[in-house]
């Protein structure tokens, strides 16, 4: 699994900032490069964020007041490539895709919910009534700490010791001994979601690479019908449980969120939205 260390992220951020400063006064044709240097706050402001997540701070949502707009913007700055890569269309589509995936993972919506089922993202911050402690005792690289549960937490519902360990190493917390921090610190919670989104976990590509056009299917991917698009992102997130199933309600929920956010961002979703005909990674 690729690990993004705090130091390497800081160096990249500094170089990215210098690059943006250098092209800001460039006279040559660098409009596309300038576009990539505009922060995601230029595409999704506080009002739009609240329109997307109409009910996240309702009393009925256990994550009330946890996922603040400012925390989202600050967390994204630790991953400079997120929402800043490619054309304006690509940038908007990636943001919509990311928000759709975390919305499904934390949804409090239902079919007849006020404002529709796709207005209830970011309602939860941790899994309710987990069926296990999500400890893979066979993983010796990231061994479970006695008494700890690695249940789903945060916007992406980070799960299993083999995800908590490397996420913590990359972001500067002890994911194995203190997994609870993902549900107690909104900044760390949002960073874990972005870390998962940006990090390649072979044989899976990163969700980021898929959404910005950098995903090059291998022979195995082609054979498994893993064609670039939002459906492959769902396959990366939870393909073992949701892909290869026609008209799966969970997949459809992810797509519903994606379509709503894409519309709010005034961008099309692209093709290959589901993973019904894909084999999981």
């Amino acid at each position: 699994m690729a690990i993004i260390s705090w130091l390497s992220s800081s160096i990249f951020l500094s170089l990215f900032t210098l690059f943006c400063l250098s092209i800001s006064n460039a006279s040559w044709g660098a409009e596309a490069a300038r576009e990539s240097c505009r922060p995601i706050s230029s595409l999704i402001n506080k009002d739009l964020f609240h329109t997307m997540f109409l009910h996240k701070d309702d009393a009925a949502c256990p994550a009330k007041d946890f996922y603040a707009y400012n925390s989202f913007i600050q967390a994204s700055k630790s991953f400079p490539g997120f929402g800043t890569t490619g054309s304006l269309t690509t940038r908007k589509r990636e943001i919509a895709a990311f928000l759709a995936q975390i919305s499904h993972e934390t949804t409090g919506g239902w079919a007849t919910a006020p404002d529709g089922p796709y207005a209830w993202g970011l309602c939860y911050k941790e899994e309710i009534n987990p069926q296990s402690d999500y400890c893979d005792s066979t993983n010796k690289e990231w061994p479970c700490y006695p008494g700890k549960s690695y249940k789903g937490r945060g916007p992406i519902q980070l799960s299993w010791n083999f995800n908590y360990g490397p996420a913590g190493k990359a972001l500067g917390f002890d994911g194995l001994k203190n997994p609870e921090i993902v549900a107690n610190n909104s900044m760390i919670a949002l960073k874990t979601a972005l870390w998962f989104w940006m990090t390649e976990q072979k044989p899976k590509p990163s969700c980021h690479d898929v959404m910005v056009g950098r995903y090059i299917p291998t022979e195995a991917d082609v054979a498994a019908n893993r064609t670039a698009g939002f459906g492959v992102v769902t396959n990366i997130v939870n393909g073992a449980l949701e892909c290869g199933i026609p008209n799966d309600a969970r997949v459809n929920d992810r797509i519903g969120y994606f379509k709503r956010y894409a519309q709010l961002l005034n961008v099309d979703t692209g093709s290959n939205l589901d993973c019904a005909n894909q084999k999981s990674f």
Side-chain angles (χ1 to χ4, degrees), residues 25-278:
N25 295 317
S27 58
W28 37 271
E31 187 57 36
R34 292 191 188 98
E35 181 62 47
S36 70
C37 289
R38 291 175 184 142
I40 64 169
S41 57
S42 68
L43 299 180
I44 176 170
N45 59 30
K46 191 172 185 179
D47 287 343
L48 178 55
F49 188 79
H50 287 163
T51 297
M52 290 174 160
F53 301 102
L54 280 172
H55 296 283
K56 72 179 180 66
D57 294 326
D58 284 12
C61 285
K64 180 179 183 292
D65 299 327
F66 187 67
Y67 297 112
Y69 170 75
N70 289 339
S71 295
F72 167 63
I73 296 301
Q74 284 301 117
S76 71
K77 291 180 180 179
S78 294
F79 299 88
F82 172 71
T84 63
T85 303
S87 68
L88 183 60
T89 294
T90 298
R91 295 180 60 202
K92 287 182 175 181
R93 192 179 289 151
E94 181 185 14
I95 293 170
F98 172 77
L99 295 179
Q101 292 290 346
I102 67 172
S103 290
H104 170 78
E105 295 294 333
T106 59
T107 188
W110 64 99
T112 58
D115 301 303
Y118 309 123
W120 288 80
L122 298 183
C123 191
Y124 288 87
K125 60 179 181 176
E126 59 186 330
E127 186 177 356
I128 306 298
N129 300 320
Q131 299 303 302
S132 75
D133 59 7
Y134 292 90
C135 169
D136 179 2
S137 59
T138 67
N139 190 296
K140 304 304 180 183
E141 183 178 5
W142 306 105
C144 304
Y145 196 76
K148 292 298 181 179
S149 169
Y150 302 101
K151 67 177 183 178
R153 297 183 180 91
I156 202 68
Q157 290 292 280
L158 190 73
S159 306
W160 296 100
N161 49 305
F162 52 75
N163 281 320
Y164 273 92
K169 182 176 181 180
L171 300 174
F173 70 93
D174 194 330
L176 297 177
K177 292 183 180 179
N178 187 22
E180 300 87 357
I181 197 171
V182 178
N184 295 329
N185 183 304
S186 63
M187 187 70 72
I188 288 177
L190 287 158
K191 284 183 178 181
T192 62
L194 287 161
W195 169 83
F196 183 90
W197 185 265
M198 301 295 293
T199 303
E200 179 185 22
Q201 301 181 50
K202 291 183 177 180
K204 299 178 182 181
S206 71
C207 300
H208 169 73
D209 280 352
V210 172
M211 292 309 301
V212 302
R214 292 177 179 168
Y215 166 55
I216 301 175
T218 64
E219 288 186 11
D221 292 325
V222 173
N225 201 35
R226 293 191 288 260
T227 306
F230 185 74
V232 170
V233 173
T234 296
N235 202 330
I236 293 168
V237 175
N238 205 27
L241 296 179
E242 298 180 22
C243 294
I245 305 170
N247 201 34
D248 185 83
R250 297 160 296 184
V251 173
N252 290 340
D253 189 67
R254 296 178 194 272
I255 295 171
Y257 272 112
F258 185 36
K259 287 181 175 179
R260 177 170 181 262
Y261 296 154
Q263 183 177 31
L264 287 170
L265 285 164
N266 193 30
V267 67
D268 68 90
T269 60
S271 56
N272 302 316
L273 300 186
D274 66 57
C275 59
N277 297 313
Q278 298 180 17

Side-chain angles (χ1 to χ4, degrees), residues 3-41:
I3 301 299
I4 306 171
S5 69
W6 176 87
L7 179 59
S8 62
S9 294
S10 298
I11 293 172
F12 181 79
L13 179 57
S14 297
L15 291 173
F16 183 79
T17 301
L18 287 172
F19 168 73
C20 291
L21 288 172
S22 70
I23 68 168
S24 63
N25 295 317
S27 58
W28 37 271
E31 187 57 36
R34 292 191 188 98
E35 181 62 47
S36 70
C37 289
R38 291 175 184 142
I40 64 169
S41 57

